[in-house]
Amino acid sequence: MLTLLSNIKSLLQIRTIEETRVLGLDMKFLPQIENAYLILEDGKIHSYGSMSELPMLQINETIDASGRMVLPTWIDAHTHLVFAASREQEFVDRINGLSYAEIAAKGGGILNSAAKLATATEEELYVQAARRLDQLILLGTGAIEIKSGYGLSVESELKMLRVIQKLKEDYPHIPIKSSFLAAHAFPLIYRENHQAYIDIIINEMLPLVAAEELADYMDVFCEEGFFSVAETEQLLEAGWKYGLKPKIHANQLHRSGGVQVGVKHKAVSVDHLESMGEEEIASLRGSNTIPTLLPGAAFFLGMHYQPARLLIEANLPVCLASDYNPGTCPSGNMNTLLTIACTQLKMTPEEAINAQTINAAAAMELESVMGSITVGKKASLILTKPIPSVAYLPYAFGENLIERVII
Ligand code: NIG
Ligand code: FE
């Protein structure tokens, strides 16, 4: 069964299979073919090229893409898609002057979400999460990482991870990776006895998570007021014993040492990075760890943005992800994220698209199957409406420029 997309105005993000991530200044190039064709076979990319070289093949279906662009779907490498309730009251509290840290210290924030999640059933959580995922797919997201972390007890963490597991089963064409984030906050009863909660994570939760194969990665919120560097190290070492690679929250509110500890423990990515200095950048330079920026959270909290330009100048493979969660970024819209990256992080449209496709695939270890237009990769594609240029995508913010998502 062959499907042809013909007369594509620009086919974006053409890469060879050897190109697994794009570094630094190379991010400003988005390889493309004008007036292109793209042929799909059994859910994969069969071939592509210039319309003038369209091969004679038995085509089953043709989609005319005149005036339209085609690019790989967005890959969202950091979300908290499973949650029980929205938190707009905290949003209003922040407008009235409280900070994110102050709200968290009063038992709001993550603990607020944990209290709501504790009383929700697995089924209720699944229905809500699936509804959110359906919306994201329409907005062009074709792969997603989802974290636990609103459970904070053996029972509730497993409940969240089982919801993610069911999403994996029910959405076989949307690659999903799950991260175990019990180390997201200390439950109130462990505020004065951190080690007791860490012991529960390591000795009770991890063996069960591993036995049911419920997680791909180990996550920790390494931050002042949350998990210290020493606590993070203990947890990452414990995760590695079960083969869980780290993918952690680092340097959101402070220069917490999270980047260095992530790099030291061979994290696939360190995420957030609002608070960065030369040491953090130097540590990333000597590593394979991907810096994943979550500017949606900085936007929504009204905080300072990530230093994307410094990371790009340091020749790093910058990734952008949504951080979709009810507290710091209640949106998983990667189209809006593109605009925030351009206007606030001063990334060019091409850099931002590389960060949301090929580098995001690498941040989820999906680089061999997604993230670019490459023969053999999954045919997960965005077909735009007629648009004048690539830059129009982040420029015309708020307008839905997606005509069709092909998964
Ligand atoms: O990535 N910063 C830590 N975790 C989430 C927010 C969690 C919450 O407030 O519910 C984040 O921003
Ligand atoms: Fe997050």
Side-chain angles (χ1 to χ4, degrees), residues 2 21 55 59-60 72 79 115 119 134 185 215 235 238 240 285 287 289 300 311 324 337 364 382 397 405:
L2 296 182
R21 51 176 71 182
I59 300 292
N60 304 83
T79 82
T119 58
D134 291 338
L235 288 154
W240 263 119
R285 278 183 71 116
S287 79
T289 300
F300 193 68
L311 298 171
Y324 190 3
L337 182 66
M364 283 177 69
I382 293 174
F397 77 95
V405 179

Side-chain angles (χ1 to χ4, degrees), residues 1-195:
M1 161 87 185
L2 296 182
T3 302
L4 166 69
L5 283 89
S6 63
N7 305 309
I8 305 166
K9 180 184 166 92
S10 303
L11 179 60
L12 307 177
Q13 193 61 303
I14 310 281
R15 301 280 178 182
T16 64
I17 195 74
E18 286 78 30
E19 292 174 275
T20 53
R21 51 176 71 182
V22 185
L23 304 182
L25 295 174
D26 286 340
M27 289 179 69
K28 70 167 177 279
F29 301 107
L30 189 64
Q32 50 189 279
I33 302 177
E34 309 297 307
N35 195 22
Y37 76 86
L38 175 65
I39 298 175
L40 317 177
E41 183 180 34
D42 302 331
K44 294 201 169 144
I45 295 173
H46 170 279
S47 53
Y48 60 82
S50 165
M51 273 308 278
S52 60
E53 290 158 9
L54 179 64
M56 296 289 283
L57 290 169
Q58 190 71 42
I59 300 292
N60 304 83
E61 183 198 6
T62 300
I63 300 168
D64 179 29
S66 299
R68 292 153 174 83
M69 299 202 180
V70 172
L71 67 156
T73 47
W74 307 130
I75 292 179
D76 196 346
H78 181 135
T79 82
H80 307 249
L81 189 77
V82 178
F83 54 88
S86 58
R87 294 194 341 231
E88 62 274 22
Q89 187 52 49
E90 294 176 10
F91 166 68
V92 175
D93 290 344
R94 277 196 304 277
I95 295 169
N96 288 322
L98 287 183
S99 71
Y100 180 73
E102 285 163 345
I103 292 168
K106 299 199 300 171
I110 295 163
L111 296 182
N112 178 357
S113 280
K116 301 257 171 51
L117 189 129
T119 58
T121 66
E122 198 174 310
E123 182 60 24
E124 285 162 356
L125 291 171
Y126 176 82
V127 168
Q128 289 197 53
R131 199 184 303 132
R132 288 178 200 124
L133 184 55
D134 291 338
Q135 288 297 318
L136 295 184
I137 295 167
L138 294 175
L139 293 167
T141 297
I144 189 166
E145 182 264 12
I146 309 174
K147 300 171 190 302
S148 68
Y150 293 130
L152 311 183
S153 69
V154 178
E155 192 191 350
S156 293
E157 281 294 309
L158 289 175
K159 179 165 72 177
M160 283 189 85
L161 290 169
R162 289 189 188 120
V163 170
I164 304 171
Q165 190 67 27
K166 184 156 164 51
L167 291 170
K168 288 186 183 184
E169 288 160 18
D170 292 353
Y171 291 79
H173 301 305
I174 305 290
I176 297 175
K177 296 274 174 103
S178 61
S179 299
F180 174 51
L181 178 58
H184 199 187
F186 287 97
L188 281 179
I189 47 167
Y190 298 110
R191 276 266 157 105
E192 306 307 322
N193 187 1
H194 285 190
Q195 194 57 43

Side-chain angles (χ1 to χ4, degrees), residues 13 15 21-31 291 293 308-309 311-313 315-320 347-360:
Q13 193 61 303
R15 301 280 178 182
R21 51 176 71 182
V22 185
L23 304 182
L25 295 174
D26 286 340
M27 289 179 69
K28 70 167 177 279
F29 301 107
L30 189 64
L293 311 184
R309 294 260 43 102
L311 298 171
I312 288 172
E313 278 156 26
N315 207 35
L316 294 167
V318 172
C319 165
L320 286 162
M347 293 174 77
T348 66
E350 292 79 8
E351 286 170 339
I353 292 172
N354 276 314
Q356 293 189 184
T357 55
I358 190 163
N359 287 349

Side-chain angles (χ1 to χ4, degrees), residues 139-366:
L139 293 167
T141 297
I144 189 166
E145 182 264 12
I146 309 174
K147 300 171 190 302
S148 68
Y150 293 130
L152 311 183
S153 69
V154 178
E155 192 191 350
S156 293
E157 281 294 309
L158 289 175
K159 179 165 72 177
M160 283 189 85
L161 290 169
R162 289 189 188 120
V163 170
I164 304 171
Q165 190 67 27
K166 184 156 164 51
L167 291 170
K168 288 186 183 184
E169 288 160 18
D170 292 353
Y171 291 79
H173 301 305
I174 305 290
I176 297 175
K177 296 274 174 103
S178 61
S179 299
F180 174 51
L181 178 58
H184 199 187
F186 287 97
L188 281 179
I189 47 167
Y190 298 110
R191 276 266 157 105
E192 306 307 322
N193 187 1
H194 285 190
Q195 194 57 43
Y197 183 56
I198 292 169
D199 288 344
I200 292 173
I201 298 177
I202 294 176
N203 302 324
E204 296 183 38
M205 297 188 198
L206 259 174
L208 296 171
V209 170
E212 279 190 53
E213 295 182 32
L214 290 174
D216 300 295
Y217 300 112
M218 182 78 184
D219 199 344
V220 176
F221 187 17
C222 183
E223 186 56 66
E224 282 178 30
F226 293 84
F227 290 78
S228 70
V229 167
E231 291 164 349
T232 302
E233 289 215 271
Q234 261 193 79
L235 288 154
L236 297 187
E237 278 165 16
W240 263 119
K241 292 201 178 118
Y242 293 95
L244 299 185
K245 295 181 189 172
K247 195 166 160 58
I248 70 168
H249 283 75
N251 296 50
Q252 179 182 15
L253 309 173
H254 303 93
R255 287 179 66 187
S256 58
V259 169
Q260 291 91 324
V261 76
V263 167
K264 178 174 172 198
H265 291 273
K266 301 203 174 346
V268 173
S269 67
V270 286
D271 303 11
H272 264 295
L273 313 189
E274 281 87 335
S275 306
M276 295 285 279
E278 277 173 23
E279 279 163 57
E280 283 82 356
I281 292 177
S283 132
L284 284 165
R285 278 183 71 116
S287 79
N288 266 325
T289 300
I290 294 188
T292 294
L293 311 184
L294 312 174
F299 168 75
F300 193 68
L301 296 180
M303 284 182 53
H304 58 274
Y305 286 95
Q306 293 82 359
R309 294 260 43 102
L310 289 179
L311 298 171
I312 288 172
E313 278 156 26
N315 207 35
L316 294 167
V318 172
C319 165
L320 286 162
S322 76
D323 198 20
Y324 190 3
N325 76 77
T328 66
C329 188
S331 165
N333 188 332
M334 300 286 283
N335 307 287
T336 319
L337 182 66
L338 202 65
T339 299
I340 296 175
C342 293
T343 58
Q344 308 305 309
L345 274 59
K346 307 294 177 206
M347 293 174 77
T348 66
E350 292 79 8
E351 286 170 339
I353 292 172
N354 276 314
Q356 293 189 184
T357 55
I358 190 163
N359 287 349
M364 283 177 69
E365 298 183 292
L366 289 174

